[in-house]
Amino acid sequence: MSSLQVMQTLAAMVPYGSRVLDLGCGDGSLLSHLIKTRGCSGYGVEINDDNLVACIQRSVNVIQLNLDQGLSMFADQSFDVVLQIDTLQNLRNAETMLLETLRVGRMGIITFPNFAHWFNRWSVLAGRMPITRKLPYQWYDTPNIRVGTFADFQALANDNQLHIETSFGFADEKLVRWCPNLRATTAVFQLTAAPHRKL
Amino acid sequence: MSLIATPQTMQFKPALQLKGGGVLQDYQLTYETYGELNAQKDNAVLICHALNASHHVAGTYEGVSKSEGWWDNMIGPGKPVDTQRFFVIGVNNPGSCFGSTGPMHTNPASGKIYGADFPVVTVEDWVDAQARLLDALGIDVLAAVMGGSLGGMQALSWSLQYPERVKHAVVIASAPNLNAENIAFNEVARRAIVTDPDFHDGHFYEHNLVPKRGLRIARMLGHITYLSDDVMNTKFGRMLQSGDDFKYSTLDIEFQIESYLRYQGDKFSEYFDANTYLLITRALDYFDPAKAYANDLTAALARAKAKFLLVSFTTDWRFAPSRSREIVQALISNKCDVSYAEIDAPHGHDAFLLDDKRYLNVVRSFFQQIQSSSGVRQ
């Protein structure tokens, strides 16, 4: 998720001047990009020590937290946008975190590896778990403990009465609008809480 | 490159009005500075000390071996707080016993040694005293104020008392106030001192006595709370002081941990002032910026304008990470700039004084960013 094109595509989904919470912000490059190019402000949340230092070096506010402990530090609707860029698949309580994302933020932008990409399907059909650029791990050492697909996420969002504003995919760095469940290596969803839903 | 420290003293004539109602007349502050104040006077960093530390933050005294400052691993040339870039100030707080006016000095009002009559001082009073020192040094705005534990409380208080004068605040292993357990530890320590027959209601100086027994117990207790269970077990476990067999004695030192604590207690009782111990633990107890805001920490921190760094240590149970998180949460609610590192270190509260690469890297990065963002020049 480091390529400039992907970053720019995601950044374009964040309204200018937004207050942003980036869950699993990595080295802070996306948040730094949003601050510099879109007048945003906010915080990253990160657990890794090296990433924390990288954020501080970029002058990005960063809070060291284990996301599996929840977002109780952040008040309801206190951010315009909450980002979960390739974070969801590492979380034990992925569904709770999805709801927390839209409790804390008015909008959520969520990306994760799409396990239904045709190559992954073919790989499993051939009897082996896929190893790709997006999924470079062996089955026994992968941090990706939530193995879901583009279509699975649509169902989860619907079950939780979340409104999908936009969804598409990336195949590596290329935008995929048509048949993303089969053709995208990364799924991208822009969500808001459905208006009638009680948060 | 070694840093030679030179303590200096500044006298203050105008009275310092104290929060508790007292007044400090004609007092002095002992301080040290490291590095050079630049022409713009925008590279000053104030270091606030905790319970038993002093103005001697970094460097050594000329010709005195083992005289390193208490935060010498953090502050100095090329260190995380780099004295080649920043002008660093360490100051001893009034009420302490390392040079600034304290209970062992003469009360100008009575001509007698203060002793127990030294007025109660608070974190806020210390910050006011430090601000006067900065005025005298010609420093309007601090590039950063930094402290650990009780020092962190002062750094936090700086950002509230003088929000326009603090660009960055570094609050390490600290808390927005003490919880009941913490106050309880302080009270046991104070009772140990006050009930020592040599204490003489705080006027032991005129009897040429020092309530060493009380100070020893206070220090032993404190020391236990600064370490983690794990570290104590690793360092001492159940190791015996001598041989493999119990002596079956109630009075002899049997386990190594006993010997260690007694040694620490003895050492401390030789140099620390009993009245200072009472004053400083009380300052800890009283610190509670949220109290004036119906215990709403977010409301209390609304005045803060600094960019913050908070650091806590996972095994610190005296100033637990959850207490630092309360501050972080309140700062986030106020949309303040804040970063927070929770360092997974085994050393308990003491960790803030030790060499942990991740911790030192976080502080180093924060100060590098201070330097580049504010264009601090040498």
Side-chain angles (χ1 to χ4, degrees), chain B residues 49-50 123-124 126 146-160 170-183 186 283-291 297-298 300-301 308-313 316-331 340-341 349 352:
Chain B
H49 70 76
V123 166
E124 288 81 358
W126 288 335
M146 170 168 169
S149 190
L150 175 58
M153 289 174 166
Q154 291 160 62
L156 178 62
S157 204
W158 256 101
S159 74
L160 307 177
V170 181
V171 179
I172 298 170
S174 198
N177 61 21
L178 290 195
N179 59 15
E181 189 188 51
N182 247 324
I183 295 171
N186 284 346
L284 269 161
D285 294 355
Y286 283 135
F287 182 68
D288 188 5
K291 188 170 184 288
L297 187 62
T298 300
L301 302 194
F308 284 83
L309 172 67
L310 277 94
V311 182
S312 74
F313 301 91
D316 183 354
W317 55 281
R318 189 91 199 245
F319 288 81
S322 59
R323 303 309 319 276
S324 284
R325 277 191 234 117
E326 285 177 43
I327 300 174
V328 173
Q329 181 168 2
L331 290 170
Y340 170 59
H349 188 53
F352 91 87

Side-chain angles (χ1 to χ4, degrees), chain A residues 19 43 49 52-53 56-57 59-64 72-74, chain B residues 307 325 329 332 335-342 358 365-366 369:
Chain A
R19 194 134 182 92
Y43 309 90
D49 291 320
L52 195 84
V53 166
I56 293 171
Q57 282 169 347
S59 200
V60 165
N61 292 323
V62 61
I63 310 296
Q64 191 164 34
S72 59
M73 190 179 272
F74 305 99
Chain B
K307 182 168 181 167
R325 277 191 234 117
Q329 181 168 2
I332 289 173
K335 303 190 176 181
C336 291
D337 282 320
V338 53
S339 285
Y340 170 59
E342 198 168 294
R358 293 159 300 173
S365 305
F366 193 73
Q369 169 267 317

Side-chain angles (χ1 to χ4, degrees), chain A residues 18-82:
Chain A
S18 289
R19 194 134 182 92
V20 178
L21 181 65
D22 187 351
L23 303 177
C25 65
D27 64 7
S29 49
L30 176 57
L31 203 46
S32 175
H33 179 79
L34 288 171
I35 292 164
K36 283 181 191 147
T37 65
R38 298 190 67 81
C40 295
S41 60
Y43 309 90
V45 173
E46 181 55 51
I47 191 166
N48 178 278
D49 291 320
D50 293 335
N51 280 336
L52 195 84
V53 166
C55 288
I56 293 171
Q57 282 169 347
R58 285 173 201 271
S59 200
V60 165
N61 292 323
V62 61
I63 310 296
Q64 191 164 34
L65 272 188
N66 183 349
L67 287 173
D68 278 326
Q69 289 167 357
L71 295 181
S72 59
M73 190 179 272
F74 305 99
D76 294 358
Q77 302 291 288
S78 53
F79 291 90
D80 300 308
V81 178
V82 178

Side-chain angles (χ1 to χ4, degrees), chain B residues 18-195:
Chain B
L18 304 173
K19 199 181 173 192
V23 178
L24 208 50
Q25 308 271 11
D26 200 7
Y27 60 98
Q28 65 179 36
L29 295 178
T30 301
Y31 65 100
E32 290 178 8
T33 67
Y34 323 94
E36 300 287 332
L37 186 62
N38 64 14
Q40 299 77 20
K41 298 187 174 185
D42 64 359
N43 67 335
V45 175
L46 177 69
I47 306 294
C48 305
H49 70 76
L51 209 161
N52 64 322
S54 70
H55 52 279
H56 184 41
V57 175
T60 53
Y61 292 134
E62 186 116 57
V64 185
S65 66
K66 292 190 175 173
S67 62
E68 285 82 9
W70 58 271
W71 225 349
D72 192 60
N73 62 339
M74 181 67 86
I75 294 148
K79 293 185 181 169
V81 182
D82 190 347
T83 50
Q84 289 165 327
R85 298 188 164 89
F86 294 101
F87 177 65
V88 178
I89 306 152
V91 54
N92 189 215
N93 288 325
S96 182
C97 52
F98 297 104
S100 293
T101 298
M104 69 302 300
H105 290 125
T106 304
N107 181 351
S110 67
K112 286 192 193 159
I113 292 176
Y114 275 111
D117 299 330
F118 195 87
V120 168
V121 282
T122 62
V123 166
E124 288 81 358
D125 300 328
W126 288 335
V127 169
D128 285 338
Q130 292 158 7
R132 287 184 175 193
L133 177 66
L134 295 189
D135 293 342
L137 296 173
I139 297 161
D140 286 338
V141 177
L142 287 167
V145 57
M146 170 168 169
S149 190
L150 175 58
M153 289 174 166
Q154 291 160 62
L156 178 62
S157 204
W158 256 101
S159 74
L160 307 177
Q161 288 174 253
Y162 299 98
E164 311 290 345
R165 297 185 73 171
V166 183
K167 284 201 168 163
H168 299 83
V170 181
V171 179
I172 298 170
S174 198
N177 61 21
L178 290 195
N179 59 15
E181 189 188 51
N182 247 324
I183 295 171
F185 283 125
N186 284 346
E187 175 58 5
V188 175
R190 281 191 296 265
R191 293 311 295 168
I193 290 169
V194 168
T195 57

